[in-house]
Amino acid sequence: MKIYDKLFIDGRWETPTAKATIDVIDPFSEIACGRVPAGTDADVDRAVTAARRAFAVWSAVPPVERAAVIGRIAEAVTARRDEIGQTISRELGMPIKWATRIQATVPAMTMAAYAEIGARPPQEDHFDNVRVVREPVGVCAFITPWNYPLHQIAGKVAPALAAGCTMVVKPSSEAPLNAFLLAEIMADAGLPPGVFNLVTGAGQVVGEALCRHPEVDLISFTGSTAAGRRIGELAARSIKRVTLELGGKSANLLLDDADLEKAVPHGIKDIFLNSGQTCSALSRMLVPANRQQEIIALARASAARVKVGDPSDTANYMGPLISDRQRDKVRAYIRKGLAEGATLVCGGETPPEGLAQGYFVAPTIFADVTPEMTIAREEIFGPVLSIMPYKDETEAVKIANDSIYGLAGAVWSGDPERALRVARRLRTGQVAINGGAFHPQAPFGGYKQSGHGREFGPYGLQEFLEIKALLT
Ligand code: NAD
């Protein structure tokens, strides 16, 4: 049991103003594996005040020196990679091999990328008598979810540090332990006090206090569309800048000339990664109607190879869901899929064999899913794939875009030019073509109700910069 009883404020570990705590539940054992403070409005105020004071200092540090600090943070995250992987595997339930490979390694890559990006001189533009300069936005509040917890924190903290901003981080209450490891790293990185602050607690308390605080200039939020809407409303009252990275219902469009032997297993690995708790998960597989049966057979065989079980076993690909609440939500969607007439290919409501303990849901695939069914429209955030038949390319694109979300997508075709053409027609922030690999510096963010703003790489830095025109 990992117990943290202090918050990181103004460069020190501070006693919270209230005694309340939050238990972190290990979703495999269903027993508490950690405890963190439940922060209050007063803690938020202390942290924001410290960040405001530190802004005058940190924004004046030359970018190349700020970048050097980020470089040290990247090295420290890399050095503690195994510990970070184990911590996240435990609190989230993602199998250790993948937690280390993704949850611990990608944040280190993000930090390293911003050590490089931040070292370049800030962009200036000139025309006629106009000189355009970029300046840090100010004090930022970061509100993050549990599914890729440190990745999402790093995607905000690293560019903010590079830009010269200061910050208060409020991680999710389900998986906050990794944020304390980062705070320990920050404490040793040589940052001026108050640049980085950590306040844990409930979204409705700590999160909302950050959104209302007059000294916060920018809110960057990753999480559900419902919470994003609330945050946007609160932030609007004091006209804060808001970046929102929200939900998704991404389409994996298999065109009629796709290499199915490759595309189908790839899609299966994607949807079951992290038990389907990935905002960009390819949760709708769009398939030519006349090949649906062939694709079902390939999908069923692929899903049967997904090893589900104890997250500490390196052989497993899929662990439990984050919480009993999330499991209940996913089960309700499975019932809805059956009730609305989708064909169950594998999985379902019953937990996988031998896994009655832990918040497990079996890898589940539905076929014959039509665009109006609930499982085709709503984000399930669990290991549930909807196979949706289409008759031609025009209808496939129409179905893909028929969503309130627009976060990600994928296209498969034997003809790369055709794949590119179709990818351009998808109204989403990212599209992977023929299995195009994840890149930690590719801009990431949504169209439509998947949010606004972009994170990662040089585009992510822009979110933390104001543009100023100097007229001479
Ligand atoms: P959530 O919205 O419940 O919580 C996210 C964070 O917001 C948590 O820290 C929570 O405490 C806080 N919060 C909740 N209500 C709040 C409020 N009223 N005011 C301020 N803060 C509040 O989401 P979750 O369940 O932790 O994460 C799952 C969701 O996140 C999914 O919908 C998923 O698609 C989305 N997500 C999106 C991305 C992306 O980049 N687009 C990435 C990961 C997750």
Side-chain angles (χ1 to χ4, degrees):
M1 176 100 164
K2 195 81 198 164
I3 297 177
Y4 293 99
D5 59 358
K6 301 248 184 334
L7 299 168
F8 191 69
I9 296 174
D10 209 10
R12 290 183 300 271
W13 289 100
E14 292 275 358
T15 303
T17 46
K19 286 205 162 45
T21 57
I22 297 170
D23 276 356
V24 182
I25 307 297
D26 169 345
F28 178 60
S29 67
E30 304 185 19
I31 294 168
C33 65
R35 184 168 296 152
V36 301
T40 61
D41 283 30
D43 295 319
V44 167
D45 190 53
R46 280 198 292 169
V48 173
T49 304
R52 171 57 63 198
R53 224 175 15 243
F55 180 62
V57 180
W58 184 242
S59 59
V61 172
V64 66
E65 286 175 34
R66 292 198 298 250
V69 177
I70 305 170
R72 286 202 291 279
I73 297 166
E75 281 166 21
V77 172
T78 306
R80 294 181 73 172
R81 181 172 171 257
D82 289 345
E83 186 189 0
I84 293 170
Q86 279 154 14
T87 301
I88 298 180
S89 176
R90 189 90 191 275
E91 58 186 338
L92 172 63
M94 187 188 211
I96 183 67
K97 180 167 129 192
W98 298 93
T100 308
R101 212 180 259 187
I102 299 174
Q103 306 275 10
T105 305
V106 180
M109 289 162 86
T110 299
M111 291 291 181
Y114 280 107
E116 243 183 82
I117 294 166
R120 291 178 213 141
Q123 189 186 334
E124 281 199 12
D125 307 315
H126 302 257
F127 57 94
D128 302 330
N129 66 324
V130 184
R131 174 192 290 247
V132 181
V133 297
R134 285 163 174 79
E135 296 182 343
V137 166
V139 174
C140 304
F142 299 148
I143 303 174
T144 57
W146 43 262
N147 58 337
Y148 290 86
L150 195 58
H151 169 58
Q152 284 137 353
I153 292 173
K156 300 177 193 307
V157 167
L161 287 176
C165 293
T166 59
M167 64 213 71
V168 181
V169 174
K170 194 223 81 75
S172 80
S173 299
E174 288 83 357
L177 303 178
N178 61 89
F180 284 84
L181 301 183
L182 182 67
E184 287 168 11
I185 288 170
M186 292 292 178
D188 293 339
L191 281 170
V195 172
F196 174 91
N197 304 274
L198 175 69
V199 180
T200 46
Q204 280 83 356
V205 181
V206 174
E208 297 207 1
L210 285 166
C211 297
R212 280 192 305 263
H213 202 293
E215 288 295 330
V216 170
D217 300 297
L218 174 150
I219 310 270
S220 179
F221 168 77
T222 301
S224 61
T225 297
R229 193 171 290 122
R230 170 77 180 145
I231 283 165
E233 281 166 12
L234 288 173
R237 294 181 197 167
S238 50
I239 322 292
K240 296 185 196 319
R241 279 235 218 161
V242 180
T243 298
L244 300 173
E245 303 285 356
L246 310 174
K249 190 74 194 174
S250 299
N252 187 8
L253 211 172
L254 276 48
L255 292 170
D256 54 12
D257 59 352
D259 179 348
L260 297 181
E261 303 278 337
K262 253 196 188 162
V264 176
H266 195 280
I268 294 297
K269 260 189 105 174
D270 181 277
I271 182 66
F272 297 135
L273 178 72
N274 205 18
S275 302
Q277 302 166 123
T278 303
C279 47
S280 55
L282 301 170
S283 52
R284 296 183 292 153
M285 187 181 279
L286 276 45
V287 306
N290 59 0
R291 307 200 55 187
Q292 191 184 202
Q293 290 316 315
E294 189 186 336
I295 286 166
I296 288 174
L298 284 168
R300 185 189 284 116
S302 254
R305 287 193 294 272
V306 172
K307 285 196 164 38
V308 187
D310 183 346
S312 67
D313 183 337
T314 51
N316 285 332
Y317 184 70
M318 219 179 93
L321 298 184
I322 184 78
S323 61
D324 53 352
R325 195 176 127 238
Q326 189 70 13
R327 180 181 53 182
D328 286 351
K329 199 180 130 195
V330 173
R331 282 179 173 167
Y333 275 116
I334 293 174
R335 282 197 295 277
K336 197 104 187 176
L338 291 169
E340 292 181 4
T343 308
L344 186 66
V345 173
C346 62
E349 259 209 274
T350 325
E353 224 184 296
L355 294 171
Q357 178 207 286
Y359 309 127
F360 287 96
V361 171
T364 297
I365 301 178
F366 282 106
D368 299 310
V369 177
T370 56
E372 61 291 344
M373 288 183 187
T374 309
I375 56 168
R377 307 203 72 77
E378 296 184 12
E379 182 185 52
I380 299 175
F381 226 55
V384 181
L385 174 69
S386 294
I387 297 181
M388 306 179 69
Y390 66 81
K391 66 173 189 307
D392 57 26
E393 186 182 303
T394 307
E395 191 188 44
V397 171
K398 185 165 168 269
I399 296 172
N401 286 333
D402 178 19
S403 173
I404 57 163
Y405 296 113
L407 188 58
V411 178
W412 291 81
S413 166
D415 172 358
E417 284 307 312
R418 183 183 179 205
L420 205 57
R421 193 162 35 83
V422 171
R424 286 182 188 277
R425 293 174 66 195
L426 300 188
R427 302 283 300 158
T428 65
Q430 226 178 58
V431 183
I433 295 167
N434 286 334
F438 168 81
H439 192 295
Q441 290 197 49
F444 187 84
Y447 286 27
K448 302 190 260 181
Q449 292 188 34
S450 288
H452 40 74
R454 292 293 177 270
E455 295 195 298
F456 302 101
Y459 296 91
L461 183 67
Q462 298 307 316
E463 302 290 336
F464 296 97
L465 295 168
E466 290 281 12
I467 293 175
K468 179 187 274 183
L470 302 173
L471 311 176
T472 54

